[in-house]
Amino acid sequence: MDALEVHTVFTIPIGGGIPIYESVVVTWIIMAVFTLLAIILVRNLRVENVSKKQLALEAGIAFLQNFFEGTVGKNGKRYVPYLITVALYIGASNLIGILGFTPPTKDMNVTAALGIASIIVIEYSGIHKKGVKGWFKSFAQPVPVIAPLNVLELVIRPLSLCMRLFGNVLGAFVVMELLKQLLPVGLPVPFSLYFDVFDGLIQAYVFVFLTSLFIKEAVEDE
């Protein structure tokens, strides 16, 4: 039960005190690592006599861009950087448990924030493509009678994104904690490869894939 709690690392002495949770601190660590990697990897980029490091970087970015562009379609290309960012963050958050850190996505506040951010991007993409009037009209499609259900999706979609990610990450975390208590040292390693690596990457993929599908639906031509 102690492992399931979201612990406070320190408190900022402002007002009644602002608690800084473990998930926030680990997120800061992930941000710092990505920032450092970005600085290191983009140094000395060349047009000619390209290094192996640059080739690998370009191949990785091209793969992610092509994948998401193929998912969101031509009308959703402007949202690919957001999708790549979320995929990298969720993937790193789920994998960081291998290093002994608590995955930030085990905190429902984190997954809720990701779900809300994604639904804001999804609805903004619809407004940007169709205009405010066209966006409101889309709630009455294909027939006006289902407008209440379409409005209800504004709550259901971020909730489903949040709970799916939170539930799977928390479930994997609980299973690994139980295995560490029950099995000898070293035996949980193959289970860790599945729950921490494979399942963690799958959850990152599912989250951004669903978000990209929702964006594609919002920006598709009528």
Side-chain angles (χ1 to χ4, degrees), residues 50-160:
V50 179
S51 64
K52 293 181 179 180
K53 178 188 72 174
Q54 183 176 339
L55 286 174
L57 179 63
E58 291 177 352
I61 295 299
F63 171 79
L64 291 173
Q65 286 182 330
N66 292 335
F67 173 79
F68 286 114
E69 286 179 7
T71 305
V72 298
K74 62 178 182 179
N75 293 329
K77 288 183 179 181
R78 62 185 290 128
Y79 308 104
V80 169
Y82 169 77
L83 295 170
I84 294 176
T85 302
V86 172
L88 291 176
Y89 170 70
I90 296 178
S93 297
N94 294 343
L95 293 176
I96 204 168
I98 300 176
L99 302 178
F101 294 95
T102 300
T105 41
K106 186 180 74 69
D107 184 355
M108 187 179 290
N109 294 312
V110 174
T111 57
L114 289 169
I116 293 172
S118 287
I119 204 63
I120 290 174
V121 172
I122 292 166
E123 299 308 322
Y124 168 79
S125 66
I127 295 173
H128 183 270
K129 174 64 178 178
K130 304 171 183 176
V132 176
K133 185 181 294 186
W135 180 71
F136 277 112
K137 287 182 177 179
S138 66
F139 288 105
Q141 295 176 351
V143 290
V145 71
I146 68 169
L149 295 178
N150 289 333
V151 173
L152 190 61
E153 280 189 348
L154 293 178
V155 177
I156 294 176
R157 282 181 173 178
L159 183 62
S160 65

Side-chain angles (χ1 to χ4, degrees), residues 175-196:
V175 170
M176 283 306 304
E177 288 298 317
L178 292 174
L179 288 174
K180 290 175 184 177
Q181 297 292 328
L182 298 174
L183 299 177
V185 177
L187 194 55
V189 171
F191 294 98
S192 177
L193 291 176
Y194 175 80
F195 288 110
D196 290 333

Side-chain angles (χ1 to χ4, degrees), residues 25-70:
V25 174
V26 176
T27 295
W28 288 344
I29 294 173
I30 294 172
M31 292 168 58
V33 170
F34 275 137
T35 301
L36 182 62
L37 286 175
I39 294 173
I40 294 174
L41 293 176
V42 301
R43 292 180 62 185
N44 302 319
L45 297 182
R46 301 174 181 175
V47 177
E48 299 180 353
N49 298 321
V50 179
S51 64
K52 293 181 179 180
K53 178 188 72 174
Q54 183 176 339
L55 286 174
L57 179 63
E58 291 177 352
I61 295 299
F63 171 79
L64 291 173
Q65 286 182 330
N66 292 335
F67 173 79
F68 286 114
E69 286 179 7

